[in-house]
Amino acid sequence: MKGRSYVYDLHYHLVWVTKYREKAFNSDEIINALKNKLLEIADENEITIEAMEIMPNHVHLLVSAKPKMSVTIMVKKLKGITGKWLFQAFPREMKQHFWHGHIWSHSYYVGSVGQTTESIIRRYIETQKERPFK
């Protein structure tokens, strides 16, 4: 993928859980609506969702974004907007599980996904001076 002054291939595995690991996503209606909302937020923020699964108490995403988009900002947008939206779209269902207006736990997991392994990149960097300079 390309930006104006860069070429990139960045992919992240993101996972976040509901507050207290409450199993609030237990209907197809809520799950499908949440998936659509995540796709909408991603589209508005130039984030590509490559894979997605909504579990009863957590979300898994495989995403790609431009290097200018930090992971923290990306997660903040996805969690922040959906948290507020879920209470508006499904007030009765969300209030059964979440008493203080917060759906998501504060934490999240991120793992980078690449086309190569860390050991190959490490060796490539360590052997730079052994190759002709281009």
Side-chain angles (χ1 to χ4, degrees):
M1 293 173 261
K2 291 183 178 183
R4 187 174 170 168
S5 59
Y6 50 84
V7 177
Y8 67 97
D9 188 17
L10 300 172
H11 307 271
Y12 306 101
H13 177 201
L14 303 175
V15 182
W16 64 85
V17 300
T18 58
K19 196 97 169 156
Y20 313 116
R21 292 210 177 242
E22 283 287 320
K23 294 180 179 171
F25 310 132
N26 46 28
S27 77
D28 288 342
E29 181 185 9
I30 294 172
I31 291 167
N32 290 330
L34 179 54
K35 284 181 177 182
N36 288 332
K37 188 65 175 178
L38 285 164
L39 288 167
E40 177 186 311
I41 296 163
D43 187 54
E44 291 170 357
N45 289 279
E46 298 182 279
I47 300 166
T48 302
I49 296 178
E50 299 171 343
M52 171 175 23
E53 194 57 73
I54 309 295
M55 301 302 290
N57 66 354
H58 65 283
V59 172
H60 280 273
L61 297 177
L62 177 61
V63 300
S64 178
K66 293 179 180 181
K68 68 180 182 177
M69 171 76 72
S70 77
V71 173
T72 302
I73 296 298
M74 192 179 342
V75 172
K76 210 173 199 180
K77 287 177 185 275
L78 294 166
K79 286 174 63 177
I81 295 169
T82 57
K84 183 177 180 181
W85 173 83
L86 280 164
F87 270 108
Q88 293 170 343
F90 302 97
R92 184 176 50 80
E93 295 89 338
M94 294 303 113
K95 286 178 185 173
Q96 288 176 349
H97 296 279
F98 309 106
W99 309 275
H100 299 295
H102 298 286
I103 290 177
W104 305 120
S105 166
H106 292 294
S107 61
Y108 64 91
Y109 164 82
V110 60
S112 59
V113 180
Q115 301 297 319
T116 188
T117 64
E118 179 186 344
S119 62
I120 291 171
I121 294 170
R122 183 181 311 279
R123 174 136 174 78
Y124 178 78
I125 292 169
E126 290 171 349
T127 60
Q128 282 293 293
K129 291 187 177 180
E130 296 172 15
R131 288 189 295 282
F133 182 70
K134 293 181 183 180

